[in-house]
């Protein structure tokens, strides 16, 4: 059997409490021959102790895969990103997705752990009636002049948990729904722009919509964010989420609900979490109202490409648990 060449220029970076990225260079002729990567993070100088743990058991015992790994092939350089379990094993599949923007994926069981943590701080449910999206004036001018008055889904950035399977993969439009406790209305301040598009909640969220939990994180502050996905049933976004994210009961969950009360749809959101709602389909501006807010633009609160605090015990999980 012909051996592979020895990896060169090995680098480890993007290190957090439960994930990292490792990259290395390989000979061009080896790229087509690689099918799987196995990295033993418990490796010792004594060769007899360097036993890999296999998924099917055997001498080394069984283990749980700590999350899907993805690789990218760029000019002969390999990159593998993934979460690390307590068993110290990282695995990458040769049939993993290839993309210029990759992130380590938590499996559904890991997202379920995040969901449980998020539920602990969600607080009581408050009524609301509209979803809203803040942007600069130029954004809405572009939508009207060049997009046929329709806001189109865009690729989600890398904000939030490193393990979120939506980062760099899911297309959607970000909306908010949080209200001020004393007024029951959306806040007049926003980090994203002074122009606000408001749309009746039932236009985006109704019994024909599926709801998914996607992430829970903070940015070195006391504020915690919960990312949810709204996808019309049977849509491409719905199919994407169904395979990767925990689905929530739209009428009974701790974050965002849609219930029929006295013949009408009633909407509620969690009081103590900031909800970021991704809607996976295009939205026509004619379905809502556009106006200018009276408050401030608080740039410091923007979550665009926000990095999760890896030391927060409230919103981090152990993927080897």
């Amino acid at each position: 059997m012909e051996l592979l060449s020895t990896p060169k220029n090995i680098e480890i970076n993007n290190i957090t409490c439960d994930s990292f990225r490792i990259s290395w260079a390989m000979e061009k002729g080896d790229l087509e021959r690689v099918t799987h990567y196995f990295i033993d993070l418990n490796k010792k100088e004594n060769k007899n102790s360097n036993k890999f743990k296999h998924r099917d058991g055997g001498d080394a015992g069984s283990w749980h895969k700590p999350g899907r790994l993805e690789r990218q092939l760029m000019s002969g350089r390999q990159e593998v990103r993934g979460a690390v379990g307590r068993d110290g094993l990282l695995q990458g599949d040769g049939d993993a997705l290839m993309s210029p923007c990759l992130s380590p994926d938590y499996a559904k069981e890991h997202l379920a752990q995040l969901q449980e943590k998020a539920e602990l701080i969600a607080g009581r449910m408050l009524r609301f009636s509209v979803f809203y999206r803040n942007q600069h004036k130029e954004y809405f001018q572009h939508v009207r002049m060049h997009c046929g008055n329709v806001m189109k889904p865009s690729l989600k950035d890398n904000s939030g948990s490193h393990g979120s399977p939506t980062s760099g993969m899911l297309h959607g439009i970000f909306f908010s729904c949080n209200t001020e406790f004393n007024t029951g209305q959306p806040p007049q301040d926003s980090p994203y722009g002074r122009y606000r598009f408001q749309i009746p909640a039932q236009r985006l969220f109704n019994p024909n919509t599926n709801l998914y939990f996607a992430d829970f994180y903070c940015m070195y502050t006391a504020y915690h964010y919960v990312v949810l996905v709204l996808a019309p049933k049977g849509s491409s976004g719905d199919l994407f989420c169904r395979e990767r994210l925990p689905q929530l009961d739209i009428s009974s969950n701790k974050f965002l609900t849609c219930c029929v009360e006295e013949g009408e749809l009633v909407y509620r959101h969690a009081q103590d979490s900031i909800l970021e709602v991704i809607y996976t389909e295009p939205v026509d501006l004619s379905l809502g109202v556009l106006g200018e807010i009276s408050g401030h633009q608080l740039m410091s609160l923007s979550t665009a490409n926000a990095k999760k605090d890896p030391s927060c015990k409230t919103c981090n999980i152990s993927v080897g648990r």
Side-chain angles (χ1 to χ4, degrees):
M1 178 182 296
E2 184 179 357
L3 298 178
L4 297 173
S5 59
T6 301
K8 301 176 181 178
N9 304 325
I10 299 173
E11 297 178 3
I12 299 178
N13 49 39
N14 291 7
I15 301 173
T16 71
C17 61
D18 63 0
S19 67
F20 67 90
R21 181 179 68 180
I22 181 171
S23 61
W24 65 93
M26 293 181 65
E27 297 292 339
K28 187 175 181 180
D30 289 338
L31 297 181
E32 297 179 355
R33 302 171 56 203
V34 175
T35 60
H36 289 71
Y37 301 100
F38 294 94
I39 301 175
D40 186 0
L41 301 177
N42 292 322
K43 190 172 179 62
K44 300 180 177 66
E45 292 184 3
N46 179 5
K47 293 183 179 181
N48 292 330
S49 66
N50 297 331
K51 290 184 178 180
F52 290 112
K53 292 184 178 181
H54 298 284
R55 203 182 319 181
D56 57 356
D59 293 339
S62 61
W63 61 281
H64 296 287
K65 188 176 180 181
R68 189 189 72 197
L69 304 181
E70 298 180 334
R71 63 173 181 165
Q72 69 183 108
L73 309 178
M74 300 180 63
S75 301
R77 187 166 186 82
Q78 306 286 318
E79 292 189 3
V80 174
R81 305 183 186 189
V84 183
R86 289 181 181 175
D87 56 12
L89 186 66
L90 188 72
Q91 183 194 21
D93 297 333
D95 60 353
L97 298 176
M98 296 182 185
S99 168
C101 182
L102 297 174
S103 62
D105 282 3
Y106 285 154
K108 275 189 178 180
E109 55 264 33
H110 304 136
L111 289 170
Q113 292 178 31
L114 271 185
Q115 179 184 329
E116 290 177 3
K117 283 178 166 285
E119 290 173 345
L120 293 176
I121 70 161
R124 70 170 181 161
M125 303 292 283
L126 302 178
R127 288 187 65 160
F128 75 100
S129 60
V130 298
F131 289 101
Y132 56 93
R133 174 174 172 80
N134 275 71
Q135 282 288 341
H136 298 287
K137 183 178 181 179
E138 293 74 17
Y139 168 83
F140 291 108
Q141 287 178 335
H142 178 81
V143 169
R144 282 175 166 167
M145 296 177 62
H146 302 285
C147 302
N149 212 46
V150 175
M151 294 187 294
K152 298 180 179 180
S154 59
L155 196 62
K156 184 189 175 299
D157 63 12
N158 291 315
S159 60
S161 299
H162 292 277
S164 174
T166 61
S167 295
M169 297 293 290
L170 177 67
H171 286 79
I173 306 171
F174 270 104
F175 284 90
S176 301
C177 64
N178 288 82
T179 57
E180 293 183 324
F181 177 79
N182 56 338
T183 67
Q185 299 298 316
Q188 283 301 307
D189 300 321
S190 171
Y192 302 110
R194 294 185 56 82
Y195 283 80
R196 174 173 293 168
F197 173 73
Q198 295 188 110
I199 184 170
Q202 62 266 29
R203 293 283 190 178
L204 305 185
F205 191 21
N206 55 63
N208 293 320
T209 312
N210 281 332
L211 177 66
Y212 298 90
F213 174 87
D215 201 5
F216 178 47
Y217 71 99
C218 71
M219 302 182 297
Y220 302 89
T221 67
Y223 303 107
H224 275 87
Y225 297 82
V226 172
V227 182
L228 305 173
V229 181
L230 283 175
K233 292 181 179 179
S235 65
S236 58
D238 185 34
L239 297 178
F240 174 92
C241 294
R242 192 180 305 169
E243 296 180 356
R244 298 167 176 84
L245 306 179
Q247 185 172 349
L248 303 176
D249 183 335
I250 67 169
S251 63
S252 178
N253 67 80
K254 298 290 187 179
F255 311 113
L256 184 69
T257 60
C258 169
C259 301
V260 177
E261 298 181 10
E262 298 181 354
E264 296 184 358
L265 292 177
V266 175
Y267 297 89
R268 292 183 173 86
H269 70 81
Q271 172 185 345
D272 296 331
S273 298
I274 300 177
L275 301 184
E276 296 185 305
V277 181
I278 303 175
Y279 186 71
T280 63
E281 298 299 303
V283 177
D284 196 309
L285 292 181
S286 66
L287 299 177
V289 177
L290 181 63
E292 187 174 2
I293 61 174
S294 60
H296 302 284
Q297 184 176 340
L298 307 176
M299 295 297 295
S300 61
L301 296 181
S302 172
T303 60
N305 288 305
K307 302 303 180 185
K308 182 175 182 176
D309 178 3
S311 64
C312 179
K313 295 182 179 179
T314 300
C315 61
N316 280 285
I317 61 172
S318 171
V319 296
R321 191 168 69 189

